[in-house]
Amino acid sequence: MPALLVGTRKGLFVLSSDEDRRDWEVSDPLLTGWEVFHAVPDPRDGSVYAATNSFVYGATVHRSEDRGETWTRAEELGLPEETGLTLEKTWHVRPGREGEAGRLWLGGAPGVLFRSDDSGRTWKTVQSLVGHESREKWNPGAGGMCCHSIQLDPDDPNRMYVAISAAGTFRTEDGGESWEPANSGVAADFFPDNPFPEVGQCVHKLLVHPSRPERLWQQNHCGVYRSDDHGRNWERLEGNGLPSGFGFPIMLDPSDPDTAFVIPEEGAENRVTPDGRLGVYRTKDGGQSWELLEGGLPKPAWVAVLRESSSFDDGGAYFGTQSGSVFASADGGDSWVEAATQLPPILSVEAADWR
Amino acid sequence: MLAAEVGGQRRFDVDADTVGSALRSLPVANLVFDERGQLRQLVNVYVDGTDVREHEGMDTRLSGSEEIRLVAAIAGGYST
């Protein structure tokens, strides 16, 4: 049964539907009081993990084995004193691969990655990233220096990617022992003297295509990009149908590596959907052209969709707004239904399959 | 929020010499203290109605019969 885990400024909501994805049931809030930056199902055992933050009680991770009825919390999570850093926020949880029992990855601020090998009870800092030689060139974006994207190569168990704002994309090919910047061709227009540095790019969201793992997509502060060589080189894709290169979320079609969806905003200084409408832009040719999709979407509208607030599965695409609405499409983006409204500001959306 | 983390329990009886050791024995200790062991800024601690900042903070001695209360600060102006 299709479901969505919707993290908000004030708790987690579960939206449930049937295969048509037109009618959605909204749960009562879970994890009340917590800001849920991201919640994700673990397909290996059916548990749910949430990156949770509180302005009083700090940053942590919660786990539920009963679909949100009860939760346990990480027992050990923090940065070693010798790093000189303290954990500011938890941002993104990524379950490990099938066969890696108990392994999870966690991204947080300030630009940090953790690994758990005991189903989220304890978390170890990935030293190779916290101590990366380029760290002094990293800078926080408006949301802090967040490690918000963690992508595992579906074929190579030693290859994975992280993206940090504003440090850029990094690739490991040795299971996290070392990290190489993967930002060639990605602009950092906010450095006018050196707009193509090795690191410092402001990635907003990074995705690996699940059926063509050498193909990566990113929505960046400075454009939309595609790579066809594991992030070694990137091609900038806007200027051919997109009203703006600035935006946060990006969605893919698991069955078609040439299809992607973005939701542009006017720009960095006015972070709201352009032209007084909420529009999703779709490419079906690898980003060479984009078309506006607005069937079922509100107009006029001046909204924003955050970097974690979109998702997709085999049967649909989904996103949530800071205004508390969730939209779902089951026809490749041609039409959308409002699956929920009047939720707290939405921080994250993740598709789940409640079997 | 703290009670929800421990199945709704709102009171704990603990044996401790100081306020700090009493709080560190709680199952919510890693929410009340940060990763450096410091009491979080927006958590207020009262011993028999008096803010521990007026005593010795976490080193405040206990005789065994005190009531300690944990209260989230008002935090007006925070963007929540």
Side-chain angles (χ1 to χ4, degrees):
Chain A
M1 186 173 77
L4 300 175
L5 303 178
V6 179
T8 79
R9 191 71 72 193
K10 304 180 185 196
L12 172 68
F13 296 81
V14 179
L15 277 55
S16 310
S17 187
D18 55 26
E19 291 302 325
D20 290 342
R21 294 169 169 79
R22 296 201 64 81
D23 299 311
W24 294 82
E25 186 176 325
V26 182
S27 75
D28 289 335
L30 308 169
L31 292 169
T32 52
W34 290 95
E35 295 182 273
V36 180
F37 277 43
H38 183 222
V40 62
D42 187 339
R44 297 169 299 182
D45 63 7
S47 57
V48 174
Y49 292 87
T52 39
N53 295 276
S54 159
F55 68 98
V56 178
Y57 301 113
T60 187
V61 177
H62 282 83
R63 179 187 189 218
S64 176
E65 296 179 77
D66 53 15
R67 294 189 178 178
E69 279 192 41
T70 59
W71 297 85
T72 55
R73 189 179 67 256
E75 293 174 18
E76 292 176 29
L77 172 61
L79 291 162
E81 194 156 9
E82 59 268 23
T83 64
L85 304 170
T86 53
L87 181 61
E88 297 166 3
K89 302 279 189 196
T90 53
W91 271 87
H92 188 88
V93 186
R94 176 62 50 193
R97 295 176 171 85
E98 193 71 39
E100 295 177 331
R103 177 166 298 178
L104 296 116
W105 302 89
L106 168 68
V112 291
L113 180 70
F114 299 90
R115 192 179 103 182
S116 175
D117 287 310
D118 56 10
S119 300
R121 190 174 69 79
T122 63
W123 297 87
K124 290 189 171 57
T125 305
V126 176
Q127 295 283 357
S128 51
L129 197 64
V130 76
H132 197 272
E133 59 188 8
S134 67
R135 176 172 279 269
E136 64 182 23
K137 297 175 182 170
W138 303 1
N139 290 292
M145 198 156 73
C146 48
C147 178
H148 51 69
S149 297
I150 303 169
Q151 294 282 288
L152 308 182
D153 187 297
D155 290 345
D156 184 339
N158 288 314
R159 183 185 291 124
M160 61 184 281
Y161 308 84
V162 297
I164 299 167
S165 299
T169 298
F170 296 82
R171 180 185 61 249
T172 180
E173 298 193 330
D174 54 16
E177 294 295 315
S178 63
W179 298 87
E180 185 177 353
N183 303 302
S184 180
V186 180
D189 294 335
F190 38 85
F191 295 137
D193 292 341
N194 180 20
F196 290 95
E198 186 181 27
V199 298
Q201 281 80 356
C202 190
V203 189
H204 285 175
K205 196 65 200 171
L206 174 80
L207 294 173
V208 172
H209 195 277
S211 66
R212 190 186 291 179
E214 71 275 17
R215 172 163 286 185
L216 278 61
W217 293 82
Q218 67 167 282
Q219 171 70 67
N220 191 287
H221 193 102
C222 305
V224 180
Y225 297 82
R226 193 194 75 243
S227 169
D228 288 333
D229 55 4
H230 299 108
R232 287 179 174 79
N233 298 282
W234 292 89
E235 180 184 352
R236 194 168 183 166
L237 300 170
E238 86 266 24
N240 43 12
L242 285 181
S244 158
F246 187 91
F248 286 89
I250 185 163
M251 295 164 270
L252 304 180
D253 178 345
S255 65
D256 180 5
D258 288 332
T259 294
F261 307 84
V262 295
I263 305 173
E265 296 183 359
E266 278 201 8
E269 296 178 353
N270 189 24
R271 299 179 178 199
V272 66
T273 48
D275 305 321
R277 67 154 70 92
L278 172 55
V280 176
Y281 286 77
R282 177 179 63 197
T283 180
K284 288 184 163 183
D285 54 12
Q288 301 311 308
S289 63
W290 300 85
E291 59 180 316
L292 169 65
L293 310 171
E294 51 184 345
L297 297 176
K299 183 181 179 181
W302 295 267
V303 300
V305 180
L306 297 178
R307 72 177 87 238
E308 294 279 29
S309 296
S310 71
S311 189
F312 58 92
D313 58 21
D314 289 336
Y318 317 96
F319 66 90
T321 70
Q322 281 196 291
S323 323
S325 290
V326 178
F327 294 93
S329 174
D331 58 7
D334 290 331
S335 67
W336 298 82
V337 295
E338 191 173 45
T341 185
Q342 306 295 354
L343 298 181
I346 291 169
L347 306 179
S348 61
V349 173
E350 189 76 71
D353 187 7
W354 277 171
R355 294 176 203 277
Chain B
M1 286 176 71
L2 291 181
E5 294 293 312
V6 285
Q9 189 171 346
R10 292 180 174 274
R11 292 184 66 91
F12 292 87
D13 291 318
V14 299
D15 287 321
D17 294 334
T18 64
V19 170
S21 61
L23 297 184
R24 287 188 178 89
S25 72
L26 298 177
V28 292
N30 68 353
L31 297 178
V32 173
F33 297 98
D34 67 19
E35 67 214 281
R36 298 285 170 266
Q38 300 297 309
L39 185 71
R40 292 192 189 277
Q41 188 181 4
L42 294 178
V43 176
N44 291 336
V45 180
Y46 298 87
V47 176
D48 287 339
T50 303
D51 191 327
V52 294
R53 295 187 189 93
E54 297 177 23
H55 296 299
E56 303 297 322
M58 291 300 99
D59 295 329
T60 302
R61 304 291 301 179
L62 299 173
S63 65
S65 59
E66 293 89 345
E67 181 179 73
I68 304 173
R69 293 177 70 93
L70 284 170
V71 181
I74 297 169
Y78 264 70
S79 176
T80 58

